[in-house]
Amino acid sequence: MERTRYLVVGAGVTGLAFADWLRDDDCLVLEANREIGGYCRTIKRDGFIWDYSGHFFHFRRPEIEQDLIERMGAQAVLRISRDSRIWYGDRFIDFPFQRNIRQLPEADYQDCIRGLRERPKEEGGSFKDMLLARYGRGIAEKFLIPYNEKLYALNLSALDANAIGRFFPHVSVEEILGEAEPSTVGYNATFTYPEGGAIQYVEALARGIRAEQICLDERLLSLDLQEKIATTTKRQIRYDSLISSAPLVRLLEICGIEYDASVLSHNKVQVFNLGFDSKGPSDVHWIYYPQRELSFYRVGFYDNIFDSDRMSLYVEVGLPWDAELSPDQRGALKAKVLADLQACGVVMNQTLLASHDVLLDPAYVHITRKSTAEAASKRELLAALDVHSIGRYGGWTYCSIEDNIIEARELAERFMNARE
C-alpha cells in the first residue's frame, strides 16, 4: 500500500494552492478529472476562449497576484475596470441598481423613492428582510429580489441576511438620494484576466508542484477515517493528513457521515458558452437580468475583455439543487437562452459558430444560520480525524478565489510550523 504524509483531494485552486505552499514533497494531489483546474478550467474552441463560467480575479493582497503573474512568464494579463449593467425594461441601468435609480423611468424612480422612505425600521433575519429594510419595496422588488431569486433558485426568505457577506454592494440611503459622495461599490470594480483564460492562474499554482505529485483521472471513492486509508479508482493510499477541497456534502458521503441535505443545500448553474460570427454590445463586461420571464440571470462578454471582433458570451441560468436536465431538456433550455438573447437585443443578426455548456453542481451554497452551524460542526468532526475540508465548497461558504488561496496557504503554514 502506498503512503503519503499529505493527501490532497482536488486539483483546483484550493488544492493546488495548499500543495504549492507546502514545503514538503511527501504529498499527493488526487483529481477526478483528466485535467487540473476545477471550475477554473478553460475551453478553447474555434478561436474562442471560455471558462467553465465567468471567473475574473479580484485581489486584495497584491503580493499574491504578483506571485502568480510572475509564474506565468510571457502570458499577458489584462487589467480591466469593470463595466457592468442591468437590463431594465427598454434600457440599461448602471450597476449597482440601488445607486442608479435616477436612470429609471420617472414613475419607477418615484416608486423607489417612496419605498425607500416607507421601508421597515427592523431588518429581520432573512436576506429578503434585509433588502426590504435597507432599500424599500421599490428597489428590492424591481431588481434585488427577482435577480437574486433567479440566481439562487429559491425564495430569499430562506437565506440569512448576510448570506453574500462583503460581496453584496451595499449603498447608503444618502448615496441613493444624492446627498453623499458615492463610494466605490463592489469587490470587483477592477479585475485581472489572463489572455489564455482563468486556467493560467491554476497552472501558475501547479508550477510549484512536481508533475508526478498530481494524479489525474483518479477519483476518491471512500475513506477509512480510523485507519487513515483512502480508496481511489486506482489504488489504496495511507495518509497522515487529508486536505479536501471537494464539496463538503460529497466528502461527508465518501466518509459515510450523515448530514441534513435540507440544511446543506445549494443551487446549480447551467452555463452556456456561445461564440458568434460578429460583434454585439460593446464595452460592457456583463449584464444582469432580473426579469423572471428570461431564462438567464447574467450574461458576460469575453470579447469585450479581449477586445476581439466576434461576440463571445457566457450565459448563466440558475437551477434548483434537485433539477436534473436530460440532453433533450438541456437542448430546449439552450434554444430558450438563444431566443431570450434575441428578445433583449444581445443577439441581432449574428450567427452562432461554436458553443460549450457545463453544469456547475454545486454552484452557490445556501447560507443560513443552520447551514453555517452544520458545516462548522461537520468540519470540526473531520478535522479531529485529520481530514481538513477547505475552500469555497469544502467550507460550504461564499468567498473569492483569493480567499481560497489564503486559506490553503494558512493551513499549509500550520502544518509546517507543527513539524518544526
Side-chain angles (χ1 to χ4, degrees), residues 204-258:
L205 289 167
R207 287 188 177 94
I209 308 164
R210 297 197 326 270
E212 60 269 25
Q213 291 178 262
I214 302 175
C215 310
L216 300 177
D217 198 21
E218 185 168 0
R219 183 180 297 276
L220 177 65
L221 298 177
S222 65
L223 285 177
D224 184 329
L225 296 172
Q226 301 305 319
E227 297 296 326
K228 295 188 176 182
I229 296 174
T231 300
T232 77
T233 49
K234 296 182 178 181
R235 54 185 162 166
Q236 286 192 316
I237 305 170
R238 189 181 294 276
Y239 61 87
D240 291 338
S241 296
L242 186 141
I243 297 85
S244 173
S245 62
L248 177 60
V249 293
R250 306 250 170 91
L251 178 61
L252 294 172
E253 290 164 1
I254 286 170
C255 294
I257 297 174
E258 293 184 357

Side-chain angles (χ1 to χ4, degrees), residues 165-371:
R166 67 181 173 88
F167 300 96
F168 186 85
H170 287 292
V171 177
S172 70
V173 173
E174 290 75 21
E175 288 179 76
I176 296 172
L177 297 176
E179 298 170 354
E181 286 296 316
S183 57
T184 299
V185 173
Y187 67 97
N188 55 4
T190 62
F191 61 91
T192 57
Y193 192 73
E195 286 192 341
I199 192 63
Q200 298 298 323
Y201 278 111
V202 179
E203 291 178 351
L205 289 167
R207 287 188 177 94
I209 308 164
R210 297 197 326 270
E212 60 269 25
Q213 291 178 262
I214 302 175
C215 310
L216 300 177
D217 198 21
E218 185 168 0
R219 183 180 297 276
L220 177 65
L221 298 177
S222 65
L223 285 177
D224 184 329
L225 296 172
Q226 301 305 319
E227 297 296 326
K228 295 188 176 182
I229 296 174
T231 300
T232 77
T233 49
K234 296 182 178 181
R235 54 185 162 166
Q236 286 192 316
I237 305 170
R238 189 181 294 276
Y239 61 87
D240 291 338
S241 296
L242 186 141
I243 297 85
S244 173
S245 62
L248 177 60
V249 293
R250 306 250 170 91
L251 178 61
L252 294 172
E253 290 164 1
I254 286 170
C255 294
I257 297 174
E258 293 184 357
Y259 66 93
D260 189 340
S262 68
V263 172
L264 297 181
S265 62
H266 60 87
N267 79 339
K268 299 178 182 179
V269 170
Q270 179 67 55
V271 181
F272 294 98
N273 292 311
L274 306 171
F276 297 85
D277 64 341
S278 60
K279 196 77 172 171
S282 59
D283 300 327
V284 65
H285 299 124
W286 54 85
I287 303 172
Y288 302 99
Y289 293 89
Q291 297 84 353
R292 296 188 189 272
E293 67 272 17
L294 295 177
S295 51
F296 41 77
Y297 62 85
R298 181 169 61 178
V299 175
F301 296 78
Y302 287 111
D303 54 302
N304 291 335
I305 294 171
F306 292 131
D307 194 24
S308 56
D309 58 4
R310 299 189 301 173
M311 185 162 64
S312 178
L313 306 179
Y314 66 89
V315 182
E316 297 172 319
V317 180
L319 300 172
W321 70 272
D322 57 351
E324 298 291 342
L325 298 182
S326 68
D328 287 346
Q329 289 172 321
R330 189 173 296 110
L333 180 57
K334 181 179 177 181
K336 167 69 170 161
V337 162
L338 289 168
D340 287 346
L341 288 170
Q342 289 183 313
C344 59
V346 173
V347 173
M348 303 293 282
N349 299 315
Q350 294 91 342
T351 298
L352 182 66
L353 298 180
S355 65
H356 163 266
D357 63 82
V358 63
L359 181 68
L360 304 182
D361 176 20
Y364 293 88
V365 305
H366 296 151
I367 298 177
T368 67
R369 290 183 180 85
K370 287 184 178 179
S371 75

